[in-house]
Amino acid sequence: MTRRYLVFAAMLLGSLLLSVLAAWGAGALWFQLPAADLARKLVVGAWIAGSVVVLVYFWRGGYRPLRVWLVLWIAMVAWWSTIQPSHQRIWADDVSRMVTGKVEGSVVTLDQVRNFDWRSDTDYSARWEPRQYNLDQLRSVDVALSYWMGPAIAHTLVSFGFSDGRYLTFSIEIRKERGESFDALAGFFKRYETVLIAADERDILRVRTNARGEDMWLYRLRMPPATMRSLFMAYLDEGVQLKREPRFYNTLTGNCTTIVYQMARRVTSGLPLDWRLLASGYLDRYLYDIGALAGHGDFDTLRQKAHITAKARAADQAEGFSARIRD
């Protein structure tokens, strides 16, 4: 009796593994196979049907179809390894350039700071500007969470404030090709490269609240000056690495939140791993629990104060956008 249960458990585990590998193969073919729509659908359909047949034979004790299927799966993995990220594509305007900078003493010169004037998500005046910032004047770090598809998923942006009233925001984003839009499932299958954008808040925060209809919260972080400076430099290092070697975005392991976490760990060791780093919509609660949010009151109080959507929409194109969303 015990042996029978063990055999059943092994068969169940093998079936689960086969199903997972088959699902991955279907996704890889769907999102990466260089073929017309109809041909891609036929190939994916054949793969799924073949996987079901293999699974049926597996339960009946027929392992020859499984061996053929494994050879095909290994061939697919070999093909998958040939798909490499690139900087040479026709990019959407808002991610067409990557920021890098040079440091002389405390002065940082950035070559490509985005400062678009957004009238709608598709109507804008494109501007990329060189800018200088003095790290001795760095006074604050804020984290913005922008929601567009429910409470569990948010885009994470980090904004650095200077004593002259300017704010510079860094954002890890997918590098969309022209006409392309984000698909969270496609993000698991090498569909997008990663880009680091540095931008004026009146561009990068306002486009999300005012042009794209997203809902945004802005929190001040409790961070000593030396750590602020180190985090700023970590972003510059990330920009250099991305420009030197393109990298694929991954919805789970290489997204706007996990990459920021990895940079923050290089600056401040001991940051705990947490499921809310993956469910980025709850990142604010994670920051509160580790004592990283500045301000007084419980979490609900801080969250209420941090909600800036209405302020951003009211400020719109005002020159004092950053000050008004913090009033």
Side-chain angles (χ1 to χ4, degrees), residues 31-51:
F31 290 109
Q32 288 296 341
L33 190 66
D37 231 24
L38 178 59
R40 193 168 68 252
K41 288 176 181 178
L42 290 173
V43 170
V44 172
W47 171 259
I48 293 173
S51 299

PDB file of all heavy atoms in Angstrom, residues 31-51:
ATOM      1  N   PHE A  31       5.398  34.093 -27.562  1.00  0.00           N
ATOM      2  CA  PHE A  31       5.941  35.446 -27.505  1.00  0.00           C
ATOM      3  C   PHE A  31       7.226  35.643 -28.307  1.00  0.00           C
ATOM      4  O   PHE A  31       7.610  36.787 -28.572  1.00  0.00           O
ATOM      5  CB  PHE A  31       6.197  35.853 -26.048  1.00  0.00           C
ATOM      6  CG  PHE A  31       4.931  36.071 -25.266  1.00  0.00           C
ATOM      7  CD1 PHE A  31       4.552  35.183 -24.279  1.00  0.00           C
ATOM      8  CD2 PHE A  31       4.122  37.159 -25.529  1.00  0.00           C
ATOM      9  CE1 PHE A  31       3.378  35.377 -23.554  1.00  0.00           C
ATOM     10  CE2 PHE A  31       2.944  37.360 -24.820  1.00  0.00           C
ATOM     11  CZ  PHE A  31       2.571  36.472 -23.825  1.00  0.00           C
ATOM     12  N   GLN A  32       7.895  34.562 -28.705  1.00  0.00           N
ATOM     13  CA  GLN A  32       9.186  34.744 -29.368  1.00  0.00           C
ATOM     14  C   GLN A  32       9.311  34.089 -30.727  1.00  0.00           C
ATOM     15  O   GLN A  32      10.262  34.381 -31.453  1.00  0.00           O
ATOM     16  CB  GLN A  32      10.300  34.213 -28.449  1.00  0.00           C
ATOM     17  CG  GLN A  32      10.578  35.076 -27.236  1.00  0.00           C
ATOM     18  CD  GLN A  32      11.098  36.466 -27.618  1.00  0.00           C
ATOM     19  OE1 GLN A  32      11.568  36.692 -28.725  1.00  0.00           O
ATOM     20  NE2 GLN A  32      11.000  37.404 -26.694  1.00  0.00           N
ATOM     21  N   LEU A  33       8.411  33.190 -31.097  1.00  0.00           N
ATOM     22  CA  LEU A  33       8.547  32.522 -32.390  1.00  0.00           C
ATOM     23  C   LEU A  33       8.412  33.541 -33.523  1.00  0.00           C
ATOM     24  O   LEU A  33       7.400  34.239 -33.621  1.00  0.00           O
ATOM     25  CB  LEU A  33       7.480  31.436 -32.549  1.00  0.00           C
ATOM     26  CG  LEU A  33       7.663  30.498 -33.743  1.00  0.00           C
ATOM     27  CD1 LEU A  33       8.917  29.653 -33.567  1.00  0.00           C
ATOM     28  CD2 LEU A  33       6.431  29.614 -33.907  1.00  0.00           C
ATOM     29  N   PRO A  34       9.440  33.665 -34.381  1.00  0.00           N
ATOM     30  CA  PRO A  34       9.377  34.644 -35.476  1.00  0.00           C
ATOM     31  C   PRO A  34       8.513  34.127 -36.626  1.00  0.00           C
ATOM     32  O   PRO A  34       9.022  33.625 -37.637  1.00  0.00           O
ATOM     33  CB  PRO A  34      10.847  34.796 -35.880  1.00  0.00           C
ATOM     34  CG  PRO A  34      11.465  33.487 -35.537  1.00  0.00           C
ATOM     35  CD  PRO A  34      10.722  32.950 -34.347  1.00  0.00           C
ATOM     36  N   ALA A  35       7.208  34.217 -36.457  1.00  0.00           N
ATOM     37  CA  ALA A  35       6.291  33.701 -37.477  1.00  0.00           C
ATOM     38  C   ALA A  35       5.028  34.555 -37.484  1.00  0.00           C
ATOM     39  O   ALA A  35       4.752  35.300 -36.540  1.00  0.00           O
ATOM     40  CB  ALA A  35       5.936  32.244 -37.179  1.00  0.00           C
ATOM     41  N   ALA A  36       4.280  34.437 -38.554  1.00  0.00           N
ATOM     42  CA  ALA A  36       3.010  35.158 -38.647  1.00  0.00           C
ATOM     43  C   ALA A  36       2.041  34.636 -37.589  1.00  0.00           C
ATOM     44  O   ALA A  36       2.213  33.546 -37.050  1.00  0.00           O
ATOM     45  CB  ALA A  36       2.423  34.987 -40.041  1.00  0.00           C
ATOM     46  N   ASP A  37       1.008  35.422 -37.328  1.00  0.00           N
ATOM     47  CA  ASP A  37       0.053  35.116 -36.261  1.00  0.00           C
ATOM     48  C   ASP A  37      -0.535  33.715 -36.388  1.00  0.00           C
ATOM     49  O   ASP A  37      -0.560  32.948 -35.424  1.00  0.00           O
ATOM     50  CB  ASP A  37      -1.065  36.166 -36.282  1.00  0.00           C
ATOM     51  CG  ASP A  37      -1.293  36.763 -34.899  1.00  0.00           C
ATOM     52  OD1 ASP A  37      -0.346  36.729 -34.090  1.00  0.00           O
ATOM     53  OD2 ASP A  37      -2.407  37.235 -34.656  1.00  0.00           O
ATOM     54  N   LEU A  38      -1.034  33.390 -37.569  1.00  0.00           N
ATOM     55  CA  LEU A  38      -1.685  32.097 -37.773  1.00  0.00           C
ATOM     56  C   LEU A  38      -0.696  30.952 -37.567  1.00  0.00           C
ATOM     57  O   LEU A  38      -1.003  29.962 -36.900  1.00  0.00           O
ATOM     58  CB  LEU A  38      -2.306  32.029 -39.172  1.00  0.00           C
ATOM     59  CG  LEU A  38      -2.978  30.696 -39.543  1.00  0.00           C
ATOM     60  CD1 LEU A  38      -4.106  30.378 -38.557  1.00  0.00           C
ATOM     61  CD2 LEU A  38      -3.497  30.748 -40.974  1.00  0.00           C
ATOM     62  N   ALA A  39       0.497  31.094 -38.138  1.00  0.00           N
ATOM     63  CA  ALA A  39       1.513  30.044 -38.004  1.00  0.00           C
ATOM     64  C   ALA A  39       1.900  29.855 -36.538  1.00  0.00           C
ATOM     65  O   ALA A  39       2.065  28.719 -36.067  1.00  0.00           O
ATOM     66  CB  ALA A  39       2.737  30.397 -38.845  1.00  0.00           C
ATOM     67  N   ARG A  40       2.017  30.965 -35.822  1.00  0.00           N
ATOM     68  CA  ARG A  40       2.385  30.875 -34.402  1.00  0.00           C
ATOM     69  C   ARG A  40       1.291  30.168 -33.611  1.00  0.00           C
ATOM     70  O   ARG A  40       1.574  29.329 -32.745  1.00  0.00           O
ATOM     71  CB  ARG A  40       2.655  32.267 -33.846  1.00  0.00           C
ATOM     72  CG  ARG A  40       3.343  32.255 -32.492  1.00  0.00           C
ATOM     73  CD  ARG A  40       3.851  33.609 -32.078  1.00  0.00           C
ATOM     74  NE  ARG A  40       2.773  34.546 -31.806  1.00  0.00           N
ATOM     75  CZ  ARG A  40       2.461  35.568 -32.589  1.00  0.00           C
ATOM     76  NH1 ARG A  40       3.137  35.788 -33.708  1.00  0.00           N
ATOM     77  NH2 ARG A  40       1.469  36.380 -32.282  1.00  0.00           N
ATOM     78  N   LYS A  41       0.056  30.479 -33.905  1.00  0.00           N
ATOM     79  CA  LYS A  41      -1.055  29.820 -33.215  1.00  0.00           C
ATOM     80  C   LYS A  41      -1.069  28.313 -33.503  1.00  0.00           C
ATOM     81  O   LYS A  41      -1.327  27.507 -32.602  1.00  0.00           O
ATOM     82  CB  LYS A  41      -2.382  30.447 -33.644  1.00  0.00           C
ATOM     83  CG  LYS A  41      -2.613  31.845 -33.094  1.00  0.00           C
ATOM     84  CD  LYS A  41      -3.901  32.440 -33.633  1.00  0.00           C
ATOM     85  CE  LYS A  41      -4.102  33.856 -33.103  1.00  0.00           C
ATOM     86  NZ  LYS A  41      -5.330  34.479 -33.659  1.00  0.00           N
ATOM     87  N   LEU A  42      -0.789  27.940 -34.746  1.00  0.00           N
ATOM     88  CA  LEU A  42      -0.766  26.517 -35.102  1.00  0.00           C
ATOM     89  C   LEU A  42       0.360  25.779 -34.381  1.00  0.00           C
ATOM     90  O   LEU A  42       0.168  24.663 -33.881  1.00  0.00           O
ATOM     91  CB  LEU A  42      -0.613  26.361 -36.614  1.00  0.00           C
ATOM     92  CG  LEU A  42      -1.821  26.778 -37.463  1.00  0.00           C
ATOM     93  CD1 LEU A  42      -1.470  26.738 -38.950  1.00  0.00           C
ATOM     94  CD2 LEU A  42      -3.026  25.883 -37.168  1.00  0.00           C
ATOM     95  N   VAL A  43       1.528  26.420 -34.310  1.00  0.00           N
ATOM     96  CA  VAL A  43       2.665  25.783 -33.633  1.00  0.00           C
ATOM     97  C   VAL A  43       2.385  25.632 -32.144  1.00  0.00           C
ATOM     98  O   VAL A  43       2.621  24.560 -31.559  1.00  0.00           O
ATOM     99  CB  VAL A  43       3.953  26.597 -33.872  1.00  0.00           C
ATOM    100  CG1 VAL A  43       5.087  26.079 -32.982  1.00  0.00           C
ATOM    101  CG2 VAL A  43       4.363  26.530 -35.334  1.00  0.00           C
ATOM    102  N   VAL A  44       1.873  26.682 -31.528  1.00  0.00           N
ATOM    103  CA  VAL A  44       1.567  26.618 -30.095  1.00  0.00           C
ATOM    104  C   VAL A  44       0.480  25.582 -29.834  1.00  0.00           C
ATOM    105  O   VAL A  44       0.556  24.804 -28.869  1.00  0.00           O
ATOM    106  CB  VAL A  44       1.150  28.007 -29.566  1.00  0.00           C
ATOM    107  CG1 VAL A  44       0.649  27.904 -28.125  1.00  0.00           C
ATOM    108  CG2 VAL A  44       2.321  28.972 -29.636  1.00  0.00           C
ATOM    109  N   GLY A  45      -0.543  25.550 -30.681  1.00  0.00           N
ATOM    110  CA  GLY A  45      -1.603  24.551 -30.528  1.00  0.00           C
ATOM    111  C   GLY A  45      -1.081  23.132 -30.645  1.00  0.00           C
ATOM    112  O   GLY A  45      -1.462  22.241 -29.875  1.00  0.00           O
ATOM    113  N   ALA A  46      -0.167  22.912 -31.614  1.00  0.00           N
ATOM    114  CA  ALA A  46       0.421  21.586 -31.781  1.00  0.00           C
ATOM    115  C   ALA A  46       1.267  21.204 -30.567  1.00  0.00           C
ATOM    116  O   ALA A  46       1.244  20.045 -30.116  1.00  0.00           O
ATOM    117  CB  ALA A  46       1.274  21.559 -33.050  1.00  0.00           C
ATOM    118  N   TRP A  47       1.990  22.185 -30.028  1.00  0.00           N
ATOM    119  CA  TRP A  47       2.816  21.914 -28.840  1.00  0.00           C
ATOM    120  C   TRP A  47       1.940  21.521 -27.648  1.00  0.00           C
ATOM    121  O   TRP A  47       2.239  20.565 -26.928  1.00  0.00           O
ATOM    122  CB  TRP A  47       3.666  23.134 -28.517  1.00  0.00           C
ATOM    123  CG  TRP A  47       4.377  23.039 -27.202  1.00  0.00           C
ATOM    124  CD1 TRP A  47       4.017  23.621 -26.020  1.00  0.00           C
ATOM    125  CD2 TRP A  47       5.555  22.274 -26.926  1.00  0.00           C
ATOM    126  NE1 TRP A  47       4.898  23.290 -25.021  1.00  0.00           N
ATOM    127  CE2 TRP A  47       5.858  22.463 -25.552  1.00  0.00           C
ATOM    128  CE3 TRP A  47       6.384  21.464 -27.682  1.00  0.00           C
ATOM    129  CZ2 TRP A  47       6.953  21.866 -24.934  1.00  0.00           C
ATOM    130  CZ3 TRP A  47       7.482  20.867 -27.079  1.00  0.00           C
ATOM    131  CH2 TRP A  47       7.756  21.066 -25.727  1.00  0.00           C
ATOM    132  N   ILE A  48       0.858  22.256 -27.442  1.00  0.00           N
ATOM    133  CA  ILE A  48      -0.030  21.953 -26.310  1.00  0.00           C
ATOM    134  C   ILE A  48      -0.691  20.587 -26.499  1.00  0.00           C
ATOM    135  O   ILE A  48      -0.756  19.773 -25.561  1.00  0.00           O
ATOM    136  CB  ILE A  48      -1.090  23.062 -26.158  1.00  0.00           C
ATOM    137  CG1 ILE A  48      -0.419  24.375 -25.736  1.00  0.00           C
ATOM    138  CG2 ILE A  48      -2.150  22.660 -25.138  1.00  0.00           C
ATOM    139  CD1 ILE A  48      -1.354  25.571 -25.723  1.00  0.00           C
ATOM    140  N   ALA A  49      -1.174  20.319 -27.711  1.00  0.00           N
ATOM    141  CA  ALA A  49      -1.814  19.023 -27.982  1.00  0.00           C
ATOM    142  C   ALA A  49      -0.823  17.882 -27.789  1.00  0.00           C
ATOM    143  O   ALA A  49      -1.150  16.845 -27.179  1.00  0.00           O
ATOM    144  CB  ALA A  49      -2.370  19.010 -29.403  1.00  0.00           C
ATOM    145  N   GLY A  50       0.388  18.045 -28.293  1.00  0.00           N
ATOM    146  CA  GLY A  50       1.406  17.025 -28.114  1.00  0.00           C
ATOM    147  C   GLY A  50       1.748  16.802 -26.655  1.00  0.00           C
ATOM    148  O   GLY A  50       1.956  15.660 -26.208  1.00  0.00           O
ATOM    149  N   SER A  51       1.790  17.879 -25.876  1.00  0.00           N
ATOM    150  CA  SER A  51       2.092  17.770 -24.446  1.00  0.00           C
ATOM    151  C   SER A  51       0.994  17.004 -23.713  1.00  0.00           C
ATOM    152  O   SER A  51       1.276  16.192 -22.818  1.00  0.00           O
ATOM    153  CB  SER A  51       2.261  19.164 -23.835  1.00  0.00           C
ATOM    154  OG  SER A  51       3.332  19.859 -24.449  1.00  0.00           O
TER     155      SER A  51
END
